[in-house]
Amino acid sequence: MIKAILIFNNHGKPRLSKFYERYSEDTQQQIIRETFHLVSKRDENVCNFLEGGMLIGGADNKLIYRHYATLYFVFCVDSSESELGILDLIQVFVETLDKCFENVCELDLIFHVDKVHNILAEMVMGGMVLETNMNEIVTQIDAQNKMEKSEAPTGSKQYHPTRGQCLQLPAPPPRLRKKPRSLTLWCQPLIASSKCTYRH
């Protein structure tokens, strides 16, 4: 069973955390910090799984991770899960994100966290793997997107909850449409720097 799915960047900032067991908010933050310290200090040429930290269950659990560009994808699982199976699941998750966001990067996970959670929910529910076929996952996400668009107001109008009316939003100025130079690091595509070979 999958106990938790964590995504954090090279500095330990969490970008997604999904726990399938009940932990207090403070314990969750401690687990994220402990997991980051365990994973980030490992050398690039060692295997991608290790014993879980004391807070997540110690030797009874495993941390299985992959490092893409600026992000670590970490699955905390119990001993019944296959390490190679979870590595494949991480790869499918990242490739699905890449297909849904077209060259996914860290900023996509920050600004579209609801969509990332929807993609994850298509793959894992209650700590159990539901789907590993990327095409099937993308089909379901596309269906959700079409449903959202059909229910959304037309044009660039947006519903204002306090006034109960739709507001006409102006187009952003041209200088805001460009990507700021300071965000270049966050916009590194994840797939471009992925390593597709397993290290044992």
Side-chain angles (χ1 to χ4, degrees), residues 5 16 18 20 75 93 116-124:
I5 297 172
L16 177 138
K18 182 73 176 171
Y20 297 102
F75 281 49
F93 182 37
V116 176
H117 275 281
N118 287 343
I119 293 168
L120 187 59
E122 289 294 327
M123 298 178 67
V124 179

Side-chain angles (χ1 to χ4, degrees), residues 23 27 30-31 34-35 38 51-61 63:
Y23 295 103
T27 306
Q30 289 172 6
I31 288 170
E34 181 185 48
T35 304
L38 287 170
E51 281 186 5
M54 292 310 298
L55 293 170
I56 199 76
D60 295 334
N61 294 308
L63 300 176

Side-chain angles (χ1 to χ4, degrees), residues 1 21 36 45 71 84 95 97 126 145 157 188 191:
M1 181 180 163
E21 288 191 341
F36 172 72
N45 60 358
L71 295 174
L84 293 178
E95 286 181 10
L97 290 172
N145 291 340
K157 293 181 178 180
Q188 281 184 328
I191 296 291

Side-chain angles (χ1 to χ4, degrees), residues 74-89:
V74 184
F75 281 49
C76 307
V77 301
D78 63 19
S79 56
S80 67
E81 294 288 345
S82 161
E83 291 94 346
L84 293 178
I86 296 296
L87 283 173
D88 277 339
L89 186 64

